[in-house]
Amino acid sequence: MAKVKLDDNKIQKIKDICAAHGNKAGEAINILHEVQNTFGYLPAEVQELIAEQIHVSAAHIYGIVTFYSFFTMLPKGEHPISVCLGTACYVRGSEKILDEFKRQLGINIGETTPDGKFSINCLRCVGACGLAPVALVGDKVYGRITTDQVKDIIAEYQN
Amino acid sequence: MSEYKMHILVCGGPGCSASKSEQIAANLRSHLQQEGLEKEVNVVLTGCFGFCEAGPIIKIMPDNVFYVKVQPEDAKEIVQEHIIKGRMVERLLYTEPSNGKKTPLDTDTDFYKKQVRIALRNCGIIDPENIEEYIALDGYKALATCLTEYTPEKVIEIVSASGLSGRGGAGFPTGRKWAATAKSKAEQKYIVCNADEGDPGAFMDRSILEGDPHSVLEAMAIAGYAVGADKGLIYIRAEYPLAIHRLQIALDQARDRGLLGKDIFSTGFNFDIELRYGAGAFVCGEATALIHSMEGLRGEPTMKPPRTSDKGYLGMPTNVNNVETYANVPAIILKGADWFSSIGTENSKGTKVFALAGQIKNVGLIEVPMGITLREIIYEIGGGMNGGKKFKAIQTGGPSGGCLTEKHLDIPIDYKSLSDAGSMMGSGGMVIMDESSCMVSIAKFYLDFTVEESCGKCTPCRIGNKRLYELLDKITQGKGTMEDLDNLRNLSHVIKDTSLCGLGQSSPNPVLSTLDNFWDEYVEHVKEHKCRAGVCKALMKYEINPEVCVGCTACARNCPVNAIKGEKKQAHQINQEACIKCGTCMEKCKFGAISIK
Ligand SMILES: Cc1cc2nc3c(=O)[nH]c(=O)nc-3n(C[C@H](O)[C@H](O)[C@H](O)COP(=O)(O)O)c2cc1C
Ligand code: SF4
Ligand code: SF4
Ligand code: FES
Ligand code: FES
């Protein structure tokens, strides 16, 4: 993985977040949530800095980040696409929708398009099962999607 | 609530929000303002009404009229006709499919008629962001009663006598759990609410928290009083931002009014609640894993005993209950244990909330008395199968549960009858499947989930589930043998018997129940290389019948990989090497010339 250089601003911001949680090891998950909210993802350098601040090993933080699927070490696309693979969506054909997104964008789950615009992820049940199959682009929910509509949805964000 | 003459309740649940219900509320407000009615008519964004299929839903009170499939453009007509002229907007009324009648009163619909709402009593009725509305419906009265009239022992006695049991899956008697935590001696005890809702097709707890957060806060305070704890924690998934937002508002409002904090109702009882965020790990729904996660560690389960009631959060006695379990408590305190235990069956009391989903007409959130049959749920509340297709299976209990069939539809559901039938109550996921679902693929779907979610601590769960998945995958590829089917069964039992936590102990259930109930379908995959549902891609082939094909070119134009060749007005052909089996051509052919072989 490419090294990420942290600028001083970022470093300070992360230190502030840790300090706001009393630099306590028990607060690791809350700190990671906040840092990810601020920067979008948690590269190794960020994890090391957090580990230092709250006096645990980098391996400890890495262990947490990799355990919880909500945490990501890779940046997402500008328009992250999440296809619901919850049961309700699955039985109403969301796998086909996922395949179509993958095909249209030429990327796999967890990847980002080379221009940084789109990334694809799966999630499980967003509570809109009545609209299954469901996908999200950013926060916007698209329901009752057909494979035909996938192209149009992507086009909405092309420019 | 009092200064307004009318309320327009707009569903702000996840389904309706996705269909622009917030825009509907905004449009209603602006039309009301244009008419100078904003002081008389209040527009409230509520939690899910349950009838998501008919969403976006709005309801006008006190007229008690509910409108379905409302669009933002309808706001003007609703204000002009209903609010100003007092005439119902006929075209937005719900039409009961069974008799074709317009049904203005929601409780008259087949969908709501058989439901009994206890945990969901306020969802879709109150503004979840306004504590006054909760209080107006007897909110915090149960807490007041407990603190001022009952001893902690008495509270536990009532909860025990009601027969309430855990709605998070296992069904452990709630009163007994509280009694155990009450008995433990310690400086500090904790009340924890499990809002991790891991079942990947369910949104019961989310809906309660978004629609009626105070009922959970009130119940946690009652539990705190009963067991002797002054601190509560809600472990909620970070993926539920709206529920988190509403909980934060609810906490602030409750503290402002002195309903949480120090010396509540001047009784000397202190209780406050903090939020803790989950980060997307199914196993963290397990009580011991949840506690480790709250402590900032990897969420791995540990052996019981010690039970959390002895040693839980930070090593202190901790009572862990599910959101829905808590939501029942204030109603039990106010209406009494006898009332609650009069609902349900001999061994399961009260109601259960289910997220009804899949190939059924009325997808949504329902609350039904224990003892109702699956048939009533599917054909009356659920309105029957989607598109009139044939029922095939019903899955309850999520990744820990199993698939039941036609022959199970008439059993009265409760904890025991469902597990006797080879499934389980679970937390409330209920997925209906028709002939288009392949049962081997469904088992594979759940195992895929389990493999991803196993914490990896014990070998049978970490490796065994992976092997189960591989076997299932092999079968869906048409490469399975009869011996593989035996291995599936044997391995399933080993995993169940030797895993540490409930995840591993139940993860093979979808495999075992489909083997039991859909054996023929497994054998077909193995011996005939056939998937009757047409789901397993490796086992199917799209073919154009030259007799029927008129050469309209619709298929060829729509094939994403240009796998179809043929001259205009002549029979087309599919190049099987190139075909990715997407099914588009079959959908596009108006002449029914394409079929799956
Ligand atoms: C793998 C696994 C996942 C679980 N997930 C949840 C969950 O998401 N929500 C929940 O309330 N209980 C869940 N449970 C059950 C909890 O361990 C615990 O029994 C429950 O929260 C206790 O509350 P109750 O008695 O009110 O049901 C899960 C259990 C296991 C083994
Ligand atoms: S059974 Fe599975 S999820 Fe549970 S502790 Fe063992 S490895 Fe972890
Ligand atoms: S199934 Fe899809 S890929 Fe195959 S021929 Fe039809 S349209 Fe083309
Ligand atoms: S399963 Fe997709 S929204 Fe519920
Ligand atoms: S989300 Fe509106 S009825 Fe369920």
Side-chain angles (χ1 to χ4, degrees), chain A residues 68-70 87 92 103 126 148, chain B residues 200 206 280 293 297 358 446 588:
Chain A
Y68 295 100
S69 65
F70 192 78
T87 330
R92 285 199 180 179
R103 210 179 57 77
V126 297
D148 283 354
Chain B
R206 168 185 179 148
S293 181
L297 304 170
Y446 282 112
K588 294 287 169 192

Side-chain angles (χ1 to χ4, degrees), chain B residues 430-460:
Chain B
M430 190 174 265
V431 184
I432 318 293
M433 291 169 250
D434 64 16
E435 305 275 310
S436 69
S437 287
C438 160
M439 301 317 287
V440 184
S441 302
I442 290 290
K444 191 174 116 180
F445 167 80
Y446 282 112
L447 260 293
D448 179 34
F449 178 81
T450 315
V451 167
E452 207 174 289
E453 296 297 338
S454 164
C455 81
K457 186 166 174 164
C458 30
T459 321

